[in-house]
Amino acid sequence: MTSYKELGLVNTTEMFEKAIKGGYAVPAYNFNNMEQMQAIIQACAATKSPVILQVSKGARDYANINLLRNMARGAVEYAKELGCEIPISLHLDHGDSFETCKDCIDNGFSSVMIDGSHFSYEENVALTKKVVEYAHPRGVTVEGELGVLAGIEDDVVAEESTYTRPEEVEDFVSKTGVDSLAISIGTSHGANKFKPEQCTKNKDGVLIPPPLRFDILEEIEKKLPGFPIVLHGSSSVPMKYVKTIIQYGGSLKDSVGIPEEQLRKAAKLAVCKINIDSDGRLAMTATIRKTMAENPGEFDPRKYLGPARAELKEMYERKNIDVLGSAENA
Ligand code: G3H
Ligand code: 13P
Ligand code: ZN
């Protein structure tokens, strides 16, 4: 048993209180390996931003929970070494069962998501409540979800999204005791968030997606004033990375993300945690493909992972400053 407090980590309570007051969102960046984690911490220390290090079930399977926990412990020291003591939370992304959440809580996570959004409302309430009852006495914060995002969340694939019903949110929060709520207002996971037929094209032929449902977000905010809302599926799918990947032999089709101005607007409203994974994957893949193509004789992984890490850092810094607004809030 390891408590997150022994690791120097924090839960999300204070982070979210400050984010709501300050009109910004805390970045929740997924990581699976050392280079991703280094880039996240370098960027958040440089911009003085709080950060949520996010671990999916896929990341646990890939990297091992003991290593991930000790990387998070190392991240706290690493940020100090870089000259900025930032609040760091280690969060389970899309927890699929009570057992997974319990295992993470017992292994030093400071926050967990229990994603019961694919169950009936009653089952979602019961499961979420059970996780909260285990987490809260241990100081761990819990994120629940209402509404279904289209796309792939770990092993679960949803063809269509179901928007969150504002009339359910008060009942869900009061019955479960969750600390934050993920909602569905038009975002989705992955690099193909919209079908081309849902989009319009600008003069350069770039696909422009339909706007997020800010009307639903505002309704939810009225029902739960000051309550932390979470937006999953918030990658913007930068065209520069898509183009580089294609230029250097990759095949990506119909890639569309969430425009950054819309994320900025959401962060100024009730959204105080924004989840980004795919953009990191695109930045790394684009840089590695380009570096390898331009240096065909190179076979030292540091020579292509290093540039990928540097690109990631730059991208996260820009997001903290221009999109989430979390910079200078550590
Ligand atoms: O919500 C999904 C995240 O992007 C994690 O994806 O399960 O492939 O690690 P993953
Ligand atoms: P993206 O696929 O848009 O990066 O979303 C990540 C996410 O929501 C992780 O939970
Ligand atoms: Zn997600």
Side-chain angles (χ1 to χ4, degrees):
M1 285 279 245
T2 311
S3 161
Y4 70 87
K5 290 171 196 156
E6 294 162 37
L7 306 179
L9 301 165
V10 296
N11 68 22
T12 56
T13 306
E14 200 179 317
M15 279 186 184
F16 290 167
E17 277 169 13
K18 286 188 178 165
I20 284 170
K21 284 199 195 107
Y24 62 89
V26 178
Y29 296 133
N30 288 69
F31 82 107
N32 299 265
N33 64 33
M34 184 188 73
E35 283 77 9
Q36 289 172 321
M37 200 275 279
Q38 287 174 317
I40 294 168
I41 298 300
Q42 288 171 7
C44 292
T47 57
K48 300 188 174 61
S49 168
V51 67
I52 297 171
L53 290 172
Q54 199 153 254
V55 170
S56 68
K57 181 170 169 288
R60 281 182 42 144
D61 294 345
Y62 177 77
N64 179 283
I65 194 161
N66 289 316
L67 291 178
L68 291 167
R69 176 188 54 227
N70 283 301
M71 279 166 78
R73 183 207 300 267
V76 175
E77 294 305 314
Y78 186 47
K80 279 189 209 155
E81 212 175 279
L82 294 172
C84 186
E85 207 169 322
I86 53 172
I88 301 176
S89 172
L90 179 63
H91 174 79
L92 168 66
D93 191 23
H94 295 285
D96 58 346
S97 66
F98 172 77
E99 289 70 28
T100 306
C101 292
K102 179 179 180 302
D103 192 46
C104 286
I105 293 166
D106 293 347
N107 273 286
F109 282 53
S110 60
S111 174
V112 292
M113 175 189 192
I114 177 66
D115 183 356
S117 62
H118 299 278
F119 298 125
S120 72
Y121 180 78
E122 289 71 26
E123 286 169 320
N124 189 0
V125 167
L127 177 60
T128 306
K129 187 166 182 282
K130 189 173 171 189
V131 172
V132 170
E133 281 168 357
Y134 188 77
H136 279 183
R138 291 158 181 84
V140 172
T141 38
V142 180
E143 174 184 323
E145 180 167 335
L146 267 183
V148 180
L149 273 68
I152 305 167
E153 289 174 6
D154 273 319
D155 303 328
V156 183
V157 182
E159 278 294 319
E160 299 290 336
S161 65
T162 312
Y163 296 126
T164 305
R165 292 154 53 92
E167 57 274 27
E168 286 180 350
V169 297
E170 261 178 295
D171 185 68
F172 185 82
V173 167
S174 72
K175 280 190 176 145
T176 59
V178 276
D179 303 281
S180 60
L181 183 67
I183 61 164
S184 171
I185 56 166
T187 63
S188 63
H189 293 99
N192 300 77
K193 299 193 186 298
F194 302 93
K195 298 190 183 85
E197 54 272 25
Q198 292 176 284
C199 303
T200 51
K201 271 191 186 167
N202 74 6
K203 60 178 177 19
D204 304 317
V206 175
L207 293 171
I208 309 295
L212 297 179
R213 292 289 304 270
F214 283 100
D215 55 322
I216 299 179
L217 176 60
E218 280 162 12
E219 273 302 298
I220 292 170
E221 194 169 357
K222 273 190 211 141
K223 304 268 184 198
L224 295 171
F227 190 78
I229 298 300
V230 177
L231 220 50
H232 283 247
S234 298
S235 279
S236 296
V237 189
M239 271 309 122
K240 67 171 182 176
Y241 298 137
V242 173
K243 281 186 183 154
T244 303
I245 289 171
I246 293 169
Q247 182 186 346
Y248 290 98
S251 70
L252 290 175
K253 216 174 159 283
D254 300 332
S255 304
V256 195
I258 310 295
E260 290 184 342
E261 323 77 72
Q262 294 192 32
L263 295 170
R264 188 71 205 100
K265 182 174 167 185
K268 285 185 179 156
L269 296 169
V271 170
C272 63
K273 171 174 178 271
I274 288 188
N275 287 13
I276 294 171
D277 186 1
S278 298
D279 283 355
R281 297 175 180 200
L282 291 166
M284 278 200 102
T285 303
T287 311
I288 290 169
R289 276 190 178 277
K290 182 171 188 292
T291 309
M292 283 187 156
E294 288 173 352
N295 303 278
E298 195 54 74
F299 62 94
D300 178 344
R302 294 170 297 188
K303 296 286 163 49
Y304 50 86
L305 292 175
R309 181 177 62 192
E311 184 64 41
L312 262 186
K313 176 191 180 235
E314 202 181 300
M315 184 189 79
Y316 290 138
E317 279 186 7
R318 213 186 54 73
K319 283 190 187 286
N320 291 352
I321 296 167
D322 298 335
V323 186
L324 287 86
S326 62
E328 305 302 328
N329 284 296

